Amino acid sequence: MKKKRVTLKDIAAELKVSISTVSRALKDHPDIDKTLTKKIKALAQKWNYIPNPLAMGLLRQQTQVIGVIVPDLVTYFFSSIISGIEDELQQAGYYIIISSSKESMEKEIECVHNLLNLRIDGLIVCLAQDSNDTAHFEKVLDHDVPLVFFDRVCLEKKVSTVVVDNVSMAKDITTHLFENGARKIAHITGPKHLNIVKERTEGYLKGLEQVGLLLDKKHLIHTDLSPNNAAKAIRGLLSLPSRPDAILGVNDTVIFATMKEIKNRNLKIPKDILLAGFSDEFHATVVEPNLTSVAHPTHDIGRNAAKLILEQIQEGRSIQKKIILNTELHVRESSTRH
Amino acid sequence: MKKKRVTLKDIAAELKVSISTVSRALKDHPDIDKTLTKKIKALAQKWNYIPNPLAMGLLRQQTQVIGVIVPDLVTYFFSSIISGIEDELQQAGYYIIISSSKESMEKEIECVHNLLNLRIDGLIVCLAQDSNDTAHFEKVLDHDVPLVFFDRVCLEKKVSTVVVDNVSMAKDITTHLFENGARKIAHITGPKHLNIVKERTEGYLKGLEQVGLLLDKKHLIHTDLSPNNAAKAIRGLLSLPSRPDAILGVNDTVIFATMKEIKNRNLKIPKDILLAGFSDEFHATVVEPNLTSVAHPTHDIGRNAAKLILEQIQEGRSIQKKIILNTELHVRESSTRH
DNA sequence: GTGAAAGCGCTAACAG
DNA sequence: CTGTTAGCGCTTTCAC
């Protein structure tokens, strides 16, 4: 037996008043008789009345649902950001629907359309790695749906973003490697169109310059972010006549692949090769040796993205803000020689 | 400017026909004139008409949304299960809303109510660790909302579940530890009311019995699943006069805490202590030494839970099925002595 | 073949 | 103070 949810109609019928009276009473409309209000509220309570969000949504043309699109669900970086988004949005009475683009633009486009068709009230996105077109996001803006990017961003002129200072992060980490004795510092990174790749590469180059090292072009490798291709890139690096004595990875996928390859060759970290990355905080202290990495404030990234969305919903108009969050370089065994 | 979504009304007005004609034409109703149908479809296409899910939902009393409640979002085990659920449901045209109970029953109850109030079409749950009451799930059944549990389950008489064979898993792993020389095998596990705890403990005891070891009661520890309390439990174990020479952890949290404590004491794995756990596959090959663990078919757990929900929605009635999926014992360095 | 009308649950302007 | 009405977008009888 489907236990039908109780509606205003049910309450009105029981109390022999009109639906609108019930509706008003439940929102403490001053016009309604206090005693009646009490009676109505009591019954609503007793019958466990909950307004039907579908009806409300239809009326107000809003769903209380925020879409979130991430490249994947299973890495700590993204799941902890989602956790932050959730914490912030749920106390504002919003729900989130999470979709995974699986690092594919095609899938990302599909996700955007699905969510738009669902009539979400806002959209929070981290770009897929091969997302090099913005038409689908323009469409989001066309529909006047609040949009926020985090980490991997685009359309920065029009859309609010939550990011970290990739350039200085990469620069600091590069000079740190130099200070620990590295003279041939390689950088394995991702597709060139991604802002995080561009910025981290820029920081890496600035770091080299600052410590007076020249770039060996063979030491700057653009690959994609998949473990297989990262591994291939690393094998290439390790076979070079000018084998690097330090590797800076663009993210954790790259770093873990790197560690495995280095161990396979019986090279030691940090003795033979220093290792550092932009990583997700969690694994870093579990692997051996512990990994030096830039800790992103993942939970805060999520919270801030959520706040920006809420702000836009309240303001009722698209705003453009850029929030830059602080990171911390966590120096651990993988990059220190004493 | 809010670009209003186009409605049947808009199309009807443009073509000077009635709304119902448009509605019918779009679903290829045989009554409607073929030419008219074509014209209507063409305009709908051109204007990018998408039915409003809110209106449909109100009409049909369904939302196409499935709720998912997990103890947390940030461990690989859960996020990869969610990934499986998503893969299955999205191709069936359903969306998922994920809530995290943060291992708290109170929060879990809140999540259930929130989702129920949202009028979800189904609910997939893994119990929070301190969830020892079922009233909130009875309420789900009362409302005739399809319900499926995975991994940590309850109400098995009435509700469909997706699980693994914990008893034999735990037994196998225990005998495996014995075969690798362990004679004092400890088991650190969680709250007694959880099925996975009960079953794994049972398997552990059966394993001991099979190889002819007697249980040292000090070696079976029930704690909660938090890293801090796990660590405390492990410190206790390691300080015992009868210090164990193998530890079986109930999950990855426990195992990682264990590893750290063992390393802190300068004990070696596997030389001094063997280690094995029920874990989430991913970290196991990243830590040093690689961890022996039972690999859960996480993606499949998710897919199957989703399938069970879809089945119940289609059948229109609550069914009770129990799907037991196979696991694999991945033997790695942490438990082998040669 | 096509249109009019009712209804899903709710709110809000308009009457009394 | 309370009821009536219209309408959010859609489907589905029931008429013609």
Side-chain angles (χ1 to χ4, degrees):
Chain A
M1 275 334 83
K2 186 98 176 184
K3 199 166 155 187
K4 230 184 100 283
R5 308 285 310 218
V6 12
T7 69
L8 290 186
K9 204 174 169 186
D10 300 330
I11 299 181
E14 174 77 7
L15 262 31
K16 304 202 192 321
V17 293
S18 80
I19 295 177
S20 26
T21 303
V22 178
S23 170
R24 281 187 277 236
L26 290 178
K27 359 186 90 53
D28 277 318
H29 192 107
D31 278 0
I32 306 291
D33 180 85
K34 298 292 168 238
T35 337
L36 218 200
T37 299
K38 245 186 201 158
K39 228 168 79 185
I40 290 174
K41 281 194 165 183
L43 186 62
Q45 178 89 42
K46 184 178 157 208
W47 281 3
N48 190 26
Y49 168 77
I50 306 282
N52 184 324
L54 253 22
M56 299 291 278
L58 185 55
L59 207 57
R60 306 215 185 291
Q61 297 290 33
Q62 55 180 32
T63 49
Q64 299 292 107
V65 171
I66 304 294
V68 178
I69 302 177
V70 288
D72 76 82
L73 276 174
V74 299
T75 57
Y76 180 77
F77 181 73
F78 293 117
S79 51
S80 60
I81 286 175
I82 288 174
S83 191
I85 294 176
E86 201 201 15
D87 285 353
E88 191 72 27
L89 287 184
Q90 88 149 18
Q91 67 186 53
Y94 282 85
Y95 298 87
I96 66 177
I97 286 192
I98 303 163
S99 301
S100 155
S101 66
K102 304 190 190 259
E103 298 286 14
S104 131
M105 177 163 81
E106 199 185 342
K107 198 115 195 327
E108 184 179 271
I109 293 174
E110 199 186 313
C111 290
V112 169
H113 287 153
N114 278 339
L115 292 171
L116 236 33
N117 293 344
L118 226 198
R119 313 313 206 242
I120 47 168
D121 289 347
L123 181 60
I124 299 176
V125 180
C126 176
L127 292 180
Q129 71 162 314
D130 54 332
S131 196
N132 54 15
D133 185 54
T134 60
H136 46 309
F137 295 117
E138 307 264 13
K139 192 176 274 179
V140 175
L141 297 177
D142 278 355
H143 283 291
D144 219 43
V145 172
L147 178 61
V148 170
F149 288 111
F150 69 88
D151 198 51
R152 307 183 196 161
V153 307
C154 66
L155 296 174
E156 294 180 67
K157 300 278 172 289
K158 308 183 193 169
V159 180
S160 286
T161 54
V162 182
V163 292
V164 294
D165 186 347
N166 287 298
V167 178
S168 60
M169 271 161 57
K171 196 179 119 207
D172 291 351
I173 212 166
T174 305
T175 58
H176 162 78
L177 290 169
F178 176 83
E179 283 158 11
N180 278 270
R183 292 301 174 265
K184 289 177 286 183
I185 305 172
H187 182 32
I188 300 182
T189 185
K192 290 179 187 172
H193 61 268
L194 287 182
N195 64 307
I196 57 171
V197 169
K198 276 188 278 197
E199 292 162 13
R200 287 172 197 176
T201 303
E202 183 187 336
Y204 161 72
L205 294 174
K206 278 193 176 164
L208 289 185
E209 194 187 328
Q210 176 168 324
V211 299
L213 290 178
L214 284 179
L215 170 68
D216 178 342
K217 277 182 186 154
K218 293 205 180 75
H219 285 176
L220 174 57
I221 300 194
H222 289 276
T223 173
D224 65 12
L225 303 173
S226 75
N228 280 347
N229 285 323
K232 205 179 291 177
I234 292 141
R235 283 196 291 274
L237 272 182
L238 295 180
S239 306
L240 243 38
S242 58
R243 197 187 75 202
D245 55 9
I247 297 180
L248 172 60
V250 75
N251 72 0
D252 63 324
T253 315
V254 167
I255 289 297
F256 291 130
T258 307
M259 286 190 103
K260 282 192 187 170
E261 290 299 326
I262 291 177
K263 286 178 184 174
N264 281 347
R265 303 221 173 192
N266 286 316
L267 296 170
K268 295 293 170 215
I269 308 168
K271 194 172 138 291
D272 302 315
I273 298 192
L274 300 178
L275 205 53
F278 299 83
S279 175
D280 52 17
E281 177 81 82
F282 179 69
H283 305 95
T285 62
V286 162
V287 294
E288 188 119 341
N290 284 191
L291 194 65
T292 292
S293 77
V294 174
H296 290 63
T298 47
H299 201 265
D300 255 16
I301 293 176
R303 294 192 81 105
N304 276 285
K307 276 184 193 157
L308 285 178
I309 279 287
L310 291 175
E311 226 172 88
Q312 289 193 52
I313 291 176
Q314 277 166 1
E315 296 282 325
R317 60 194 183 74
S318 150
I319 47 184
Q320 191 282 321
K321 270 193 188 176
K322 178 174 190 163
I323 295 184
I324 302 178
L325 262 34
N326 288 324
T327 53
E328 278 176 34
L329 178 58
H330 287 181
V331 175
R332 302 199 185 87
E333 300 159 15
S334 75
S335 72
T336 45
R337 287 190 195 129
H338 295 298
Chain B
M1 278 328 85
K2 185 97 173 184
K3 197 164 155 188
K4 229 184 101 285
R5 309 283 311 217
V6 13
T7 69
L8 290 186
K9 205 176 168 184
D10 300 330
I11 298 180
E14 174 77 8
L15 262 30
K16 303 203 192 321
V17 292
S18 79
I19 296 177
S20 24
T21 303
V22 178
S23 170
R24 281 186 276 235
L26 291 178
K27 0 189 86 52
D28 278 319
H29 192 108
D31 277 1
I32 306 291
D33 181 85
K34 298 295 169 232
T35 336
L36 219 200
T37 300
K38 246 186 200 159
K39 229 169 81 185
I40 290 174
K41 282 194 164 181
L43 187 61
Q45 176 89 41
K46 184 178 156 205
W47 281 2
N48 190 24
Y49 167 78
I50 307 281
N52 185 325
L54 254 23
M56 299 291 278
L58 186 55
L59 208 57
R60 308 218 184 289
Q61 298 290 34
Q62 56 181 31
T63 50
Q64 300 291 109
V65 171
I66 304 293
V68 178
I69 302 178
V70 287
D72 77 81
L73 275 175
V74 299
T75 57
Y76 180 77
F77 181 72
F78 293 117
S79 51
S80 58
I81 286 174
I82 288 175
S83 192
I85 295 175
E86 203 202 14
D87 285 354
E88 191 72 26
L89 287 184
Q90 88 149 18
Q91 69 187 50
Y94 283 84
Y95 299 87
I96 66 178
I97 287 193
I98 303 162
S99 300
S100 155
S101 64
K102 302 189 192 256
E103 298 285 13
S104 132
M105 177 163 80
E106 198 185 343
K107 195 114 197 328
E108 183 178 272
I109 293 175
E110 200 186 312
C111 290
V112 169
H113 287 154
N114 278 339
L115 292 171
L116 235 33
N117 293 344
L118 226 199
R119 310 321 203 239
I120 46 168
D121 290 347
L123 181 60
I124 299 176
V125 181
C126 175
L127 292 179
Q129 71 161 313
D130 53 333
S131 197
N132 53 15
D133 185 55
T134 60
H136 46 308
F137 294 118
E138 307 264 13
K139 193 175 273 177
V140 175
L141 297 178
D142 278 354
H143 283 292
D144 217 42
V145 172
L147 177 61
V148 170
F149 288 112
F150 68 87
D151 199 50
R152 307 183 196 161
V153 308
C154 65
L155 296 174
E156 294 179 67
K157 299 277 171 291
K158 309 182 193 170
V159 180
S160 285
T161 54
V162 182
V163 293
V164 293
D165 186 347
N166 287 297
V167 178
S168 60
M169 272 161 55
K171 196 180 121 210
D172 291 350
I173 211 167
T174 304
T175 58
H176 162 79
L177 290 170
F178 176 83
E179 283 158 11
N180 279 269
R183 292 300 175 266
K184 290 177 286 183
I185 305 173
H187 183 30
I188 301 183
T189 185
K192 290 179 188 175
H193 62 267
L194 287 183
N195 65 305
I196 56 170
V197 168
K198 274 187 281 198
E199 293 162 13
R200 288 173 197 176
T201 303
E202 184 189 336
Y204 160 72
L205 295 174
K206 280 195 176 163
L208 290 184
E209 196 186 327
Q210 176 168 323
V211 298
L213 291 178
L214 284 177
L215 171 68
D216 179 341
K217 277 185 185 151
K218 292 204 180 75
H219 284 176
L220 174 56
I221 301 195
H222 289 277
T223 172
D224 66 11
L225 302 173
S226 74
N228 281 346
N229 285 324
K232 206 180 288 175
I234 292 141
R235 283 195 292 273
L237 271 182
L238 295 181
S239 306
L240 243 39
S242 59
R243 197 187 75 200
D245 55 8
I247 297 180
L248 173 59
V250 73
N251 71 1
D252 63 325
T253 315
V254 166
I255 289 296
F256 290 128
T258 307
M259 286 190 105
K260 281 192 188 171
E261 290 300 327
I262 291 178
K263 285 179 184 174
N264 281 347
R265 303 221 172 190
N266 286 316
L267 295 170
K268 294 292 170 216
I269 310 167
K271 195 173 137 290
D272 303 314
I273 298 190
L274 300 179
L275 204 55
F278 300 83
S279 173
D280 52 19
E281 178 77 84
F282 180 70
H283 304 96
T285 61
V286 162
V287 295
E288 188 118 343
N290 283 191
L291 194 65
T292 291
S293 77
V294 174
H296 290 63
T298 47
H299 201 265
D300 255 15
I301 293 176
R303 294 192 81 105
N304 276 284
K307 276 183 194 158
L308 285 178
I309 278 287
L310 290 175
E311 225 172 89
Q312 289 193 53
I313 291 176
Q314 278 166 0
E315 296 282 323
R317 61 194 182 75
S318 151
I319 46 182
Q320 190 281 321
K321 270 193 190 176
K322 179 174 190 164
I323 294 184
I324 302 178
L325 293 173
N326 288 323
T327 53
E328 279 176 33
L329 178 58
H330 286 181
V331 175
R332 301 198 185 89
E333 300 159 15
S334 76
S335 73
T336 44
R337 285 192 198 127
H338 297 295

